[in-house]
Amino acid sequence: MDEIRARLSAIEDERHPSYVKYPLSDILIIVMCAVLCGLDTLGDLVIYAKSKAEFLSKEFGIEAIPSKATFARVLSCVSGKEIGDAVLDILRMRFGTAGEVIAVDGKAICSTAKAGNPHSALQILSAYVTENGVVLAQESIHEKTNEIPVLQEMLTYLDVEGKLVTADAMHCQRETCRRVIQRKGDYLFGLKENQLSLLEDVRLFFDTADEKDIDRFQTAEKNAGRIEKRTCRKIKDISWLKEHKWPGLQSVFSITRVVETRGRHSQETSYYISSRSACPKQLMEFAREHWKIESMHWVLDVTFSEDDCRFLTENAHRSMNALRKFALAVHKNFLDAHHKSSSIKAHMLSALLDEEIFLSILRFL
């Protein structure tokens, strides 16, 4: 914990020195511990701090517990970006950035939307290593912009060398592809109507192509009466697509999903482009890796009820979002390292109820 305290202590404290009663690092450690136990509402943070006062004093030397108003004021005034950067630094220091796929996706915090305008909600774009659950970077997206320029700006500092960046069809932009290639990475993006000319050419080819011009790979999974068949079809020769001038384009492929559930049948086909030259099996696996960041966003809502979060400032929302991601990554890596089958939510509850389990998690950090 010494390294964690040192990193948190480096965050600029916006409070006037003469009014500081509780060190910023103490407050942030209390919040971090509470979030590691699955708590993140303001009321729960205060209850946790008071009930664990003796434990916090013994393990962290925290001698005084702040009031609810102090927690709220500090989380509102201290830079959410600085807290987020510090928390992500701790994750990278402990778990590294190993992993082939970086998935990028945005998530809105619904409770921040203005009445009658759901698009005004604060969104946070995350770059996520799918192998170990570490978030490499995150940026806020405000009402007057969207994910596209935010990812392009993120690519000016994000280390993607040797990695494969995946994102949904919104990011299927020549400039985004160019920046990934410029940073010595690869991309894999969904292809939809925002690139209509390329989509129409690709779709027409798949609809009319001879099978000798296609490589394919197929899987089938059965679970609780649900059967899902996936077929990846890759175009062998894409030289005819050069006129579209997509930087580094090496692979064009489709994935068709056929699902049968209790006599019901559904089918959908998605199209993708990538700068990675790979076989259909690998391309399907890469495309499916993107699901992990969407799963992480889903867990943020299921485990922490993030969409119902009632903090009043962007700083607080950004800070708590980063701490939630921190908690998910820590528990995921702890459970994987110890070959435990517990869910993250159940393991958080165990950490809350059993101080020895919580200490084992801290020692793991």
Side-chain angles (χ1 to χ4, degrees):
M1 281 298 293
D2 288 344
E3 289 183 3
I4 292 177
R5 182 180 282 278
R7 183 61 185 88
L8 295 177
S9 297
I11 296 171
E12 183 179 357
D13 193 341
E14 301 287 343
R15 298 171 295 171
H16 192 282
S18 61
Y19 296 105
V20 173
K21 183 178 179 181
Y22 309 96
L24 179 60
S25 58
D26 281 5
I27 294 173
L28 294 180
I29 285 173
I30 293 171
V31 176
M32 178 181 287
C33 289
V35 176
L36 278 170
C37 293
L39 308 173
D40 75 337
T41 68
L42 193 55
D44 287 348
L45 294 179
V46 176
I47 293 171
Y48 175 87
K50 290 181 177 178
S51 64
K52 297 289 186 180
E54 185 177 341
F55 173 79
L56 292 168
S57 174
K58 177 183 176 182
E59 299 298 333
F60 307 106
I62 297 173
E63 298 302 334
I65 300 300
S67 66
K68 183 176 182 179
T70 299
F71 277 114
R73 186 169 59 254
V74 169
L75 288 172
S76 294
C77 74
V78 177
S79 168
K81 177 171 173 52
E82 280 202 53
I83 292 176
D85 288 346
V87 169
L88 300 186
D89 281 349
I90 293 166
L91 280 182
R92 289 191 292 268
M93 285 188 297
R94 176 59 185 88
F95 302 118
T97 61
E100 189 168 9
V101 177
I102 298 174
V104 178
D105 193 35
K107 181 187 182 299
I109 301 177
C110 295
S111 63
T112 63
K114 299 172 185 174
N117 184 8
H119 296 295
S120 64
L122 172 65
Q123 289 183 285
I124 297 178
L125 187 72
S126 302
Y128 178 83
V129 181
T130 60
E131 184 172 317
N132 63 7
V134 170
V135 176
L136 296 180
Q138 62 178 31
E139 294 289 348
S140 295
I141 304 169
H142 295 95
E143 189 175 357
K144 294 183 180 179
T145 187
N146 60 55
E147 291 185 22
I148 296 169
V150 176
L151 173 56
Q152 290 176 355
E153 177 64 24
M154 189 181 284
L155 286 168
T156 63
Y157 65 82
L158 191 63
D159 183 8
V160 300
E161 184 173 352
K163 311 280 191 182
L164 179 73
V165 178
T166 71
D168 62 25
M170 176 191 299
H171 296 287
C172 190
Q173 308 285 334
R174 289 178 178 83
E175 177 61 17
T176 305
C177 294
R178 185 190 68 79
R179 293 193 182 204
V180 173
I181 295 297
Q182 190 176 51
R183 301 281 292 178
K184 299 182 180 179
D186 284 304
Y187 61 80
L188 190 156
F189 296 145
L191 176 61
K192 288 187 177 178
E193 282 74 10
N194 62 321
Q195 299 295 342
L196 188 57
S197 175
L198 178 59
L199 175 63
E200 287 178 340
D201 282 354
V202 169
R203 187 181 283 154
L204 179 62
F205 184 93
F206 276 117
D207 288 344
T208 60
D210 191 298
E211 282 303 307
K212 65 180 177 59
D213 297 321
I214 300 288
D215 284 331
R216 67 165 55 219
F217 176 76
Q218 191 169 45
T219 64
E221 294 180 3
K222 184 175 182 180
N223 185 23
R226 182 179 185 274
I227 301 173
E228 181 172 352
K229 296 178 181 177
R230 303 184 194 91
T231 302
C232 181
R233 303 171 74 213
K234 176 191 175 185
I235 301 173
K236 289 183 178 179
D237 180 7
I238 61 170
S239 58
W240 55 279
L241 287 172
K242 285 182 179 179
E243 65 185 59
H244 288 280
K245 299 179 180 179
W246 280 86
L249 183 62
Q250 293 291 328
S251 297
V252 178
F253 64 102
S254 69
I255 297 177
T256 299
R257 302 169 182 86
V258 179
V259 179
E260 297 177 28
T261 308
R262 297 172 185 170
R264 296 182 179 180
H265 178 278
S266 66
Q267 178 174 320
E268 65 172 0
T269 299
S270 301
Y271 300 92
Y272 303 87
I273 65 171
S274 178
S275 63
R276 181 72 62 90
S277 180
C279 67
K281 179 177 183 294
Q282 291 175 312
L283 291 170
M284 181 188 286
E285 290 171 351
F286 290 145
R288 294 196 69 200
E289 279 291 293
H290 188 74
W291 170 83
K292 291 182 179 179
I293 190 171
E294 295 173 355
S295 175
M296 184 266 285
H297 286 157
W298 178 79
V299 173
L300 286 175
D301 285 332
V302 171
T303 301
F304 289 108
S305 300
E306 182 170 75
D307 275 345
D308 296 323
C309 183
R310 297 299 172 185
F311 285 98
L312 298 178
T313 67
E314 180 178 323
N315 274 332
H317 280 290
R318 290 189 67 173
S319 298
M320 296 307 296
N321 175 266
L323 286 163
R324 294 180 195 115
K325 291 170 182 170
F326 172 83
L328 294 182
V330 170
H331 283 279
K332 168 184 164 50
N333 283 276
F334 182 92
L335 291 170
D336 288 348
H338 293 83
H339 308 289
K340 294 179 179 291
S341 59
S342 171
S343 71
I344 288 177
K345 187 171 184 178
H347 200 245
M348 286 179 172
L349 179 58
S350 298
L352 176 64
L353 298 176
D354 189 328
E355 291 179 357
E356 284 304 314
I357 291 177
F358 184 73
L359 287 172
S360 69
I361 295 169
L362 292 182
R363 287 192 288 270
F364 180 68
L365 278 170

